[in-house]
Amino acid sequence: MTTTDQLLAVPEGAGAADETLLRLIASALACLSRQRTVPNPVYPAKVQNAYNCLVLHCLRRGEEPPGSVPEMVRWACERPLGEWPLSLPDEARSGAALLVDPETRLPHQLCLEWEVSAADPAAELFENDRILEALAVCRAAKSPRAYTAFRALLTSRPVLTGAELALLGGDPECGMLLHSVIKRCYEPVPASYLREGAYRQCGRCRCLMVPLLGGGHRCELDRCRRDGTQDAGTALRPDKGGVFQLGRPLRMFVTSPGLAETDLQAALKKKFGITAEMWPNYDAYDLRVPLPGRKYWAVDVKDRVNPALLARTVTPFRGDPPYDRAFLVVPRYRFRENEAYGRQFRRNLPDDMAGRVTLLDDQAFLRLVGHELPARAEQDTEPPHTEGDRHA
């Protein structure tokens, strides 16, 4: 049965069918953004199929459909998701969010999140293949330190010159063990990132900034664009051996949350003198936070646009190393953008996960840690309270 047949088999107006269509469209937009040459046929099957399904859907609803694949892309650049002719739950509409950045013509993170939520998405396969291979190699070598160093590399060095990539083969931390995996994580940077003979790296996340049609550059990560950070970036000249960057799924779903993870680790150290263990026992979870009384809190950091999609994918944390409480921690700016973030998360959380994980924003989590420390608790009796504080 084709995807079109599956859509036709779902009753008209069913929200599940419209979400399936949205995933198809998001996957098609992501597929187009990854093309480096003009294929034959011009549009891959998944792109043409998504367009055909959207046209059929519009005609059945009495809506004017996009006249071509380029017009479908124009919709994604100009029409907020909430204005598409799709019957979606309020939390799936994401307000005025666009699927594609109209200036860079690259899919926003929201688009990639819908792609990753689809069955067998290219982004998820790409990310998981690399991460799972690194995990397998490190487990076989009984080297959790190498895996931790590998994750730190993907977080702190999303861009490498050809010479730097080659030199990693002699790195005792992780390169000697994982060099073949590392080389497959990085891909040559397209010429579209080059302007006036140089690339520009975001001074905050170190990813390459995307040149804008009207001049200037923009970082593609939500954490740098949406929290008010303005940065012209630093110049990076082309290297004889080339310039390489992590694949976009890795930049979005490993580098970006990895930066939030290391920010949280640094804040715990600076504010409380707590040294949190990163990615313990081959990434059982992101941080293991030691507290008085031999207690440990397990933390997974997620930097997701859509709380409903996040909630649907939550699974129990692995129990080794053991912990006393489990938290999902999301950067505070996500709650500022969407004041209902916590409520939407809880409405979509699977029943078997209720009470097993607590959703907090990063600032609320730090306040909660502070109240677990005796000296701090005596000085500060005000209980932490934000929308992100509520138990999932």
Side-chain angles (χ1 to χ4, degrees), residues 45 63 210 250 256 263 276 352:
E63 301 274 353
V210 183
L250 289 173
S256 183
D263 283 352
D352 63 345

Short mmCIF file of all heavy atoms in Angstrom, two decimals, residues 45 63 210 250 256 263 276 352:
data_model
loop_
_atom_site.label_atom_id
_atom_site.label_comp_id
_atom_site.label_asym_id
_atom_site.label_seq_id
_atom_site.Cartn_x
_atom_site.Cartn_y
_atom_site.Cartn_z
N ALA A 45 11.02 10.56 -5.36
CA ALA A 45 9.66 10.01 -5.19
C ALA A 45 8.98 10.54 -3.94
O ALA A 45 7.78 10.86 -3.97
CB ALA A 45 9.73 8.48 -5.16
N GLU A 63 -10.08 23.48 -0.91
CA GLU A 63 -9.04 24.51 -0.82
C GLU A 63 -8.24 24.57 -2.11
O GLU A 63 -8.10 23.57 -2.82
CB GLU A 63 -8.09 24.20 0.34
CG GLU A 63 -8.74 24.09 1.71
CD GLU A 63 -8.87 25.44 2.39
OE1 GLU A 63 -8.33 26.43 1.84
OE2 GLU A 63 -9.49 25.50 3.47
N VAL A 210 24.69 30.87 7.84
CA VAL A 210 24.16 30.82 6.48
C VAL A 210 24.10 32.24 5.90
O VAL A 210 23.51 33.13 6.52
CB VAL A 210 22.75 30.20 6.46
CG1 VAL A 210 22.24 30.08 5.03
CG2 VAL A 210 22.76 28.84 7.15
N LEU A 250 22.69 15.90 12.68
CA LEU A 250 23.57 15.86 13.85
C LEU A 250 23.71 17.26 14.46
O LEU A 250 23.77 17.40 15.68
CB LEU A 250 24.94 15.30 13.47
CG LEU A 250 24.99 13.81 13.17
CD1 LEU A 250 26.35 13.41 12.63
CD2 LEU A 250 24.65 12.98 14.40
N SER A 256 23.16 20.91 19.04
CA SER A 256 22.34 21.92 19.72
C SER A 256 21.96 21.50 21.15
O SER A 256 22.25 22.23 22.10
CB SER A 256 21.09 22.23 18.90
OG SER A 256 20.33 23.25 19.51
N ASP A 263 26.16 23.53 28.92
CA ASP A 263 25.82 24.77 29.65
C ASP A 263 25.28 24.43 31.04
O ASP A 263 25.62 25.09 32.03
CB ASP A 263 24.77 25.58 28.88
CG ASP A 263 25.36 26.33 27.69
OD1 ASP A 263 26.60 26.35 27.53
OD2 ASP A 263 24.57 26.89 26.90
N ALA A 276 28.81 17.28 37.54
CA ALA A 276 27.90 16.29 36.97
C ALA A 276 28.64 15.43 35.96
O ALA A 276 29.47 15.91 35.19
CB ALA A 276 26.72 17.00 36.29
N ASP A 352 2.04 5.43 30.61
CA ASP A 352 2.99 4.67 31.41
C ASP A 352 4.20 5.49 31.86
O ASP A 352 5.02 5.01 32.65
CB ASP A 352 3.46 3.42 30.66
CG ASP A 352 4.20 3.76 29.38
OD1 ASP A 352 4.11 4.92 28.91
OD2 ASP A 352 4.86 2.86 28.82
#
